[in-house]
């Protein structure tokens, strides 16, 4: 199974939200990294067949998803970045409703809902109205909803927003377990969300794909660009204005800087191995 | 599908505002059922008295019956007990003079002018007058027949005028010459008919508040992305929603109708279903309808009206991004035709306006007025009664609007 994005463009007025974007997703977890406004949500909406692109197409095994229509959506699970809920529904109603919408038979639906609510830790409160839930609980309900139909293609737009560290870790485990044999696309600007679990990472910038590689190779492109350097506290400002400082740590009298730079920031700087955070900063220097 | 319909109903209905509205509507409808024309609560005794009194004259309006009514009336008027004393008569005569009557007229006034006020105000005497007026049924029908015939021949030239005139003449002529009207107590049926005019504020209001949210609320509360990306979100769900709306619309309509029938049946009784409907003032129906068949005809058209009404709301809901705006627009579009009064028959603009009003969903929902006059359209050389055209147009328009709504939702784009 492969999901191919073919020269996709979405234009809002003069703004190109997605700009000639082409990529092929295969099975495994694909992390989509990008700063605010880089076009992740727009891309995902098009991939979920709820937004028409200005041009280009999304193909599942060579067939346009709008042609596949129901057959495509049957395979799809989607967690939107912003989504609402029915205030007077309980979590149980909400899950049953989407089970019906995704075509699960009633009995299967009830078992599946029970199982998923249990997984996201909402089973105990399933009879309570959603309007009484906290933000994190609603987000978890959204995740459960996306998984109801056991989707082969799972699109998650900033799934960890609002989750506390414990839930975040739990979420990563759920997704890792789930990923086998499925195409998962997960957008975020939180690097640690994808650092450990993604098989591939894509970096989106101004609507374009600016880099993609497997997670272990993605940092190769900047492997000579990350430096460690000890400076006097009075010099910190000067380095900060000239370079991307990805970390800053006080050690005794001195300050230890981690710098992302194509050229050596100083004679005394030593090369260190890059991580994803460095890469992110390297790509979005002006923007974050 | 059943789960979807059930939960769609829950979305629209199980909201504090919807539930409050139901209670309010039932209360208002209930109170109005118990009020008489003057706005006082009716009493069972009063109604029973009228029923017994009026039932005496129940029967076919024929020579015999008419003779009997005139006879009874004459007897009452000639009964010296019902006449004023000489001094009172003199006083009445005096009162007439300053009002501009000639001495001669006053001298020759017949005894009806001198009946005791107790008699004039009595229920039995007034019912008798009502019966006497009903005795004129066939004459009234003949007058209208002549008037309408004349009207159409002068207003429209050629075959059109001729055909319309013939149609009117045939219908009213039948009432005047062949139809046998029945007389009986029928207060319950009048009340039922009156209750139709309340429909916009009960059924109409309820549908505005509940169905308006059907699609617009999904957009405004951002559940559209979840729905439209689900397998059946662009197909079965839309039909489930429409079915839920249909259930809601027919449910509330039926509830109100059954409530009216039950309360009126208990309070006024449904006696007199066989009686005629025309009063020849506000109701000059060309149809040989009885109160019962009139009620059935009105109900059928009213039900089509409720579907039409709901379809407009559904279309607006599919097209607007917020449920508040959707309620607002629907209210304006749907309710304004009842709030503004029909213009008097003033010129071309007035008549176009009046014609358009007949086709307004809310007017069709009321339906009661549609059967009270003769109106026909001349379409492709054929005379077709308005009472046929309107339901057909309403059904076609509903189907069209719902189709557009479905298309709109299917094509809905999730944007910021
Ligand atoms: N409906 C719209 N009308 C106009 N511009 C839009 C619309 N939707 C998105 N945009 C623009 O398109 C660009 C991409 O937006 P998008 O929401 O896809 O970014 P994103 O990567 O998801 O950002 P974030 O990380 O903040 O969620 C932005 O510049 C945004 O302003
Ligand atoms: Mg986004």
């Amino acid at each position: 199974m492969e999901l191919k994005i073919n020269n996709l463009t979405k234009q809002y007025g003069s703004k190109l939200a997605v700009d000639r974007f082409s990529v092929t997703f295969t099975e495994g977890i694909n992390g989509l990294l990008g700063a605010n406004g880089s076009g992740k949500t727009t891309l995902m909406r098009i991939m979920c067949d709820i937004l028409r692109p200005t041009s280009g197409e999304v193909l599942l095994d060579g067939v346009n998803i709008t042609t596949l229509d129901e057959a495509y959506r049957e395979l799809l699970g989607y967690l939107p970045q912003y989504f609402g809920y029915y205030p007077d529904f309980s979590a149980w109603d909400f899950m049953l409703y989407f089970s019906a919408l995704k075509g699960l038979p009633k009995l299967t639906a009830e078992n599946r809902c029970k199982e998923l609510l249990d997984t996201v830790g909402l089973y105990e409160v399933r009879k309570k109205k959603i309007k009484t839930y906290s933000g994190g609980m609603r987000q978890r309900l959204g995740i459960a909803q996306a998984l109801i139909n056991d989707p082969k293609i799972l699109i998650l737009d900033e799934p960890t927003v609002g989750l506390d560290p414990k839930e975040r870790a739990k979420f990563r485990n759920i997704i890792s377990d789930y990923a086998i044999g499925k195409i998962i696309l997960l957008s975020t600007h939180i690097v640690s969300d994808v650092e450990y679990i993604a098989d591939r990472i894509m970096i989106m910038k101004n609507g374009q794909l600016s880099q993609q590689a497997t997670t272990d190779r993605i940092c190769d492109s900047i492997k000579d660009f990350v430096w460690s350097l000890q400076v006097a506290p009075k010099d910190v400002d000067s380095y900060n204005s000239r370079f991307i400082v990805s970390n800053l740590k006080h050690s005794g009298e001195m300050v230890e800087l981690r710098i992302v730079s194509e050229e050596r920031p100083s004679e005394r700087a030593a090369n260190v191995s890059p991580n994803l955070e460095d890469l992110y900063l390297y790509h979005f220097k002006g923007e974050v | 599908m059943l789960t979807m319909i059930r939960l769609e109903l829950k979305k629209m209905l199980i909201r504090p505002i919807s539930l409050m509205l139901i209670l309010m509507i039932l209360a208002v409808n209930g109170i109005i059922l118990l009020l008489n024309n003057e706005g006082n609560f009716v009493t069972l005794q009063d109604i029973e008295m009228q029923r017994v009194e009026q039932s005496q004259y129940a029967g076919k309006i024929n020579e015999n019956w008419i003779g009997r009514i005139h006879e009874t009336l004459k007897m009452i008027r000639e009964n010296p007990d019902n006449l004023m004393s000489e001094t009172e008569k003199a006083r009445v005569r005096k009162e007439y003079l300053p009002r501009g009557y000639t001495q001669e007229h006053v001298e020759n006034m017949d005894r009806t002018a001198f009946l005791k006020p107790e008699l004039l105000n009595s229920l039995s005497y007034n019912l008798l007058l009502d019966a006497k007026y009903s005795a004129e049924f066939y004459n009234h029908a003949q007058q209208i027949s002549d008037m309408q015939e004349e009207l159409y021949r002068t207003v429209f030239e050629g075959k059109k005028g001729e055909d319309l005139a013939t149609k009117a003449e045939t219908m009213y002529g039948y009432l005047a010459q062949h139809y046998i009207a029945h007389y009986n107590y029928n207060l319950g049926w009048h009340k039922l008919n009156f209750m139709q005019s309340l429909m916009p504020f009960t059924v109409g209001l309820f549908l505005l508040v509940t169905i308006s949210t059907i699609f617009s609320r999904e957009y405004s509360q951002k559940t559209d992305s979840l729905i439209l990306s689900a397998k059946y979100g662009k197909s079965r769900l839309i039909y489930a929603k429409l079915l839920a709306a249909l259930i809601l619309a027919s449910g509330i309509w039926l509830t109100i109708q059954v409530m009216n029938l039950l309360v009126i049946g208990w309070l006024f009784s449904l006696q007199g279903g066989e009686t005629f409907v025309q009063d020849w003032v506000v109701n000059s129906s060309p149809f040989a309808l009885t109160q019962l068949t009139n009620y059935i005809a009105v109900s059928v058209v009213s039900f089509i009206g409720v579907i039409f009404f709901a379809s407009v709301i559904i279309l607006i809901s599919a097209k607007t991004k917020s449920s508040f705006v959707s309620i607002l627009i629907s209210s304006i579009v749907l309710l304004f035709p009842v709030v503004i009064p029909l213009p008097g028959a003033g010129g071309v603009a007035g008549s176009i306006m009046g014609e358009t009003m007949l086709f307004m969903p809310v007017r069709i929902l009321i339906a009661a007025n549609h059967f009270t006059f003769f109106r026909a359209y001349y379409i492709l050389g054929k005379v077709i009664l308005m009472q046929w055209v309107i339901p057909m147009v309403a059904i076609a328009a509903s189907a069209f609007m719902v189709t557009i709504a479905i298309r709109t939702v299917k094509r809905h784009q999730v944007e910021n």
Side-chain angles (χ1 to χ4, degrees):
Chain A
M1 199 170 53
E2 75 170 27
L3 192 58
K4 191 170 176 191
I5 313 285
N6 205 353
N7 214 11
L8 206 65
T9 296
K10 177 73 190 181
Q11 192 163 3
Y12 286 113
S14 60
K15 167 92 197 170
L16 281 165
V18 176
D19 187 7
R20 289 162 292 161
F21 197 97
S22 293
V23 73
T24 301
F25 296 105
T26 49
E27 283 160 21
I29 301 178
N30 301 274
L32 184 64
L33 274 177
N36 291 136
S38 56
K40 304 180 296 292
T41 298
T42 308
L43 172 69
M44 288 181 151
R45 282 176 180 158
I46 297 170
M47 289 174 67
C48 290
D49 194 17
I50 57 173
L51 182 65
R52 253 192 311 275
T54 310
S55 64
E57 54 192 356
V58 181
L59 305 169
L60 177 66
D61 293 332
V63 188
N64 195 316
I65 59 166
T66 54
T67 314
L68 290 170
D69 197 36
E70 246 171 43
Y72 173 70
R73 290 197 303 275
E74 185 169 18
L75 305 174
L76 183 70
Y78 175 42
L79 173 71
Q81 180 176 6
Y82 316 99
F83 65 95
Y85 55 93
Y86 306 108
D88 292 301
F89 271 26
S90 63
W92 186 247
D93 287 335
F94 188 83
M95 290 294 282
L96 279 187
Y97 180 70
F98 282 101
S99 308
L101 243 74
K102 293 174 184 217
L104 268 68
K106 201 165 167 35
L107 203 69
T108 326
E110 287 185 0
N111 290 330
R112 185 77 183 139
C113 292
K114 184 169 179 295
E115 184 188 327
L116 280 169
L117 285 174
D118 208 31
T119 312
V120 298
L122 292 175
Y123 189 70
E124 299 298 313
V125 291
R126 70 189 181 284
K127 293 273 148 101
K128 287 217 170 102
K129 287 192 173 180
I130 306 178
K131 65 180 168 198
T132 67
Y133 281 17
S134 73
M137 288 162 89
R138 282 175 205 163
Q139 187 68 10
R140 271 141 61 197
L141 184 60
I143 294 167
Q145 164 280 136
L147 293 171
I148 290 179
N149 54 333
D150 199 7
K152 301 282 174 290
I153 300 165
L154 182 60
I155 296 179
L156 305 164
D157 199 352
E158 311 212 359
T160 56
V161 168
L163 298 187
D164 62 32
K166 190 179 115 239
E167 289 298 335
R168 215 171 259 253
K170 198 167 142 195
F171 166 79
R172 283 198 295 263
N173 293 338
I174 296 174
I175 297 303
S176 300
D177 287 347
Y178 188 77
I180 301 150
K182 309 197 168 89
I183 298 174
I184 298 187
L185 177 59
L186 189 159
S187 84
T188 186
H189 28 74
I190 298 166
V191 170
S192 61
D193 275 350
V194 290
E195 199 160 20
Y196 304 114
I197 59 166
D199 301 304
R200 271 174 305 280
I201 288 184
M202 282 137 212
I203 295 184
M204 191 171 184
K205 192 173 168 182
N206 296 328
Q208 292 175 329
L209 179 65
S210 70
Q211 196 189 343
Q212 67 160 325
T214 55
T215 309
D216 50 346
R217 309 300 303 273
I218 188 95
C219 293
D220 288 1
S221 59
I222 55 162
K223 71 176 191 306
D224 299 326
F225 301 162
V226 185
W227 314 86
S228 181
L229 173 66
Q230 295 224 330
V231 297
K234 64 173 170 49
D235 295 329
V236 170
D237 281 351
S238 143
Y239 278 97
N240 243 333
S241 64
R242 282 184 294 143
F243 300 102
I244 306 164
V245 177
S246 77
N247 203 10
L248 182 154
K249 197 168 79 186
H250 289 270
S251 63
E253 288 291 281
M254 301 294 273
V255 178
E256 190 179 323
L257 298 182
R258 186 178 173 94
I259 290 174
V260 185
S261 168
E262 290 177 15
E263 56 199 75
R264 192 180 206 129
S266 150
E267 295 288 295
R268 290 168 295 119
N271 237 307
V272 290
S273 73
N275 61 28
L276 203 50
E277 192 116 23
D278 300 320
L279 182 75
Y280 186 89
L281 290 174
Y282 176 73
H283 277 284
F284 298 103
K285 26 191 167 210
E287 299 169 39
V288 270
Chain B
M1 193 76 175
L2 282 179
T3 310
M4 279 191 240
I5 296 174
R6 181 174 67 81
L7 290 169
E8 285 301 335
L9 278 173
K10 184 168 180 177
K11 273 194 221 166
M12 289 190 270
L13 206 55
I14 312 297
R15 288 194 299 153
I17 184 164
S18 307
L19 296 175
M20 251 166 49
L21 197 63
I22 294 191
L23 291 181
M24 242 175 60
I25 285 167
L26 291 181
V28 168
N29 199 68
I31 288 171
I32 293 179
L33 276 170
L34 303 179
L35 296 179
N36 62 16
N37 295 345
E38 283 92 49
N40 301 316
F41 283 104
V42 295
T43 65
L44 277 170
Q45 288 108 303
D46 286 351
I47 292 171
E48 184 58 14
M49 223 153 69
Q50 173 167 356
R51 197 181 67 77
V52 171
E53 191 74 34
Q54 206 171 2
S55 301
Q56 292 177 60
Y57 310 116
K60 287 179 185 153
I61 301 181
N62 53 22
E63 289 294 313
N64 243 335
W65 185 87
I66 295 171
R68 189 176 134 222
I69 296 297
H70 284 166
E71 202 56 40
T72 318
L73 202 56
K74 195 166 157 226
M75 255 166 56
I76 289 180
R77 285 174 176 167
E78 284 176 356
N79 183 346
D81 290 348
N82 291 329
L83 286 179
M84 296 172 176
S85 64
E86 285 306 320
T87 46
E88 276 172 303
K89 279 186 191 170
R91 194 177 47 78
V92 169
R93 284 205 181 91
K94 263 207 203 108
E95 278 170 5
Y96 268 79
L97 285 171
R99 279 154 64 185
Y101 290 95
T102 60
Q103 185 72 35
E104 195 198 347
H105 176 86
V106 172
E107 296 287 312
N108 294 320
M109 285 198 303
D110 73 0
R111 52 204 321 143
T112 51
F114 304 112
L115 293 168
K116 281 184 179 165
E118 300 94 275
L119 178 75
L120 291 178
N121 294 328
S122 73
L123 177 67
S124 52
Y125 184 70
N126 281 293
L127 287 175
L128 211 48
L129 288 183
D130 178 64
K132 179 174 170 262
Y133 181 76
S134 301
E136 299 295 312
F137 182 92
Y138 308 111
N139 296 336
H140 283 131
Q142 191 58 53
Q143 279 167 21
I144 298 258
S145 173
D146 298 343
M147 263 165 50
Q148 294 270 337
E149 189 199 338
E150 164 101 21
L151 179 81
Y152 283 110
R153 288 220 164 88
T154 42
V155 173
F156 304 109
E157 287 171 5
K159 188 162 172 334
K160 180 179 179 185
E162 185 59 37
D163 286 357
L164 286 170
T166 313
K167 184 73 184 172
E169 193 190 0
T170 315
M171 294 185 79
Y172 284 111
Y174 174 77
L175 288 179
Q177 287 143 27
H178 306 290
Y179 179 65
I180 293 173
H182 283 253
Y183 186 84
N184 197 350
Y185 163 87
N186 59 8
L187 217 52
W189 294 97
H190 280 286
K191 184 77 183 179
L192 264 182
N193 209 38
F194 166 76
M195 292 308 287
Q196 280 296 121
S197 60
L198 235 66
M199 283 284 182
F201 308 105
T202 53
V203 173
L205 198 64
F206 178 76
L207 294 184
L208 276 173
V209 170
T210 50
I211 300 186
S212 277
T213 61
I214 186 167
F215 295 119
S216 59
R217 203 143 183 261
E218 305 286 358
Y219 309 154
S220 66
Q221 71 188 3
K222 294 191 180 296
T223 36
D224 50 355
S225 54
L226 295 175
I227 282 180
L228 294 172
S229 63
K231 183 181 180 191
Y232 292 135
K234 296 182 184 183
S235 51
R236 275 188 216 183
L237 175 72
I238 302 177
Y239 300 108
K241 275 177 171 290
L242 293 175
L243 269 174
L246 179 70
I247 292 171
L248 213 61
S250 25
I252 183 77
W253 182 87
L254 212 63
T255 306
I256 296 288
Q257 290 293 0
V258 168
M259 176 181 183
N260 290 350
L261 276 172
L262 287 179
V263 175
I264 289 173
W266 160 72
L267 198 58
F268 296 87
S269 100
L270 293 175
Q271 187 181 324
E274 76 287 2
T275 56
F276 62 89
V277 292
Q278 294 84 345
D279 59 16
W280 308 109
V281 182
V282 293
N283 186 339
S284 307
S285 176
F287 299 101
L289 286 170
T290 64
Q291 292 288 356
L292 175 66
T293 52
N294 181 61
Y295 175 73
I296 294 170
V298 167
S299 295
V300 169
V301 173
S302 173
F303 186 74
I304 293 172
V306 85
I307 302 295
F308 190 19
F309 195 92
S311 305
V312 176
I313 302 177
I314 287 169
L315 177 61
I316 292 172
S317 186
K319 292 269 181 201
T320 42
K321 296 261 181 290
S322 112
S323 44
F324 178 72
V325 175
S326 158
I327 293 183
L328 205 69
I329 299 179
S330 307
S331 307
I332 294 169
V333 170
L334 289 168
L335 290 184
F336 97 96
V338 271
V339 181
I340 59 160
L342 275 178
V348 181
S351 79
I352 290 176
M353 185 85 160
E355 204 70 51
T356 316
M357 284 297 155
L358 289 174
F359 288 85
M360 290 291 127
V362 72
R363 295 272 173 184
I364 304 177
L365 174 63
I366 296 174
N369 301 323
H370 283 89
F371 289 93
T372 59
F373 53 95
F374 176 82
R375 177 71 52 93
Y377 301 109
Y378 196 67
I379 303 166
L380 302 171
K382 275 209 165 68
V383 174
I384 302 178
L385 288 173
M386 171 272 281
Q387 289 81 0
W388 282 116
V389 174
I390 287 203
M392 295 304 152
V393 169
I395 290 170
S398 304
F400 179 70
M401 286 187 294
V402 169
T403 314
I404 301 278
I406 293 173
R407 241 182 46 166
T408 307
V409 176
K410 277 188 181 169
R411 295 180 170 193
H412 175 72
Q413 301 288 297
V414 178
E415 296 182 335
N416 292 338

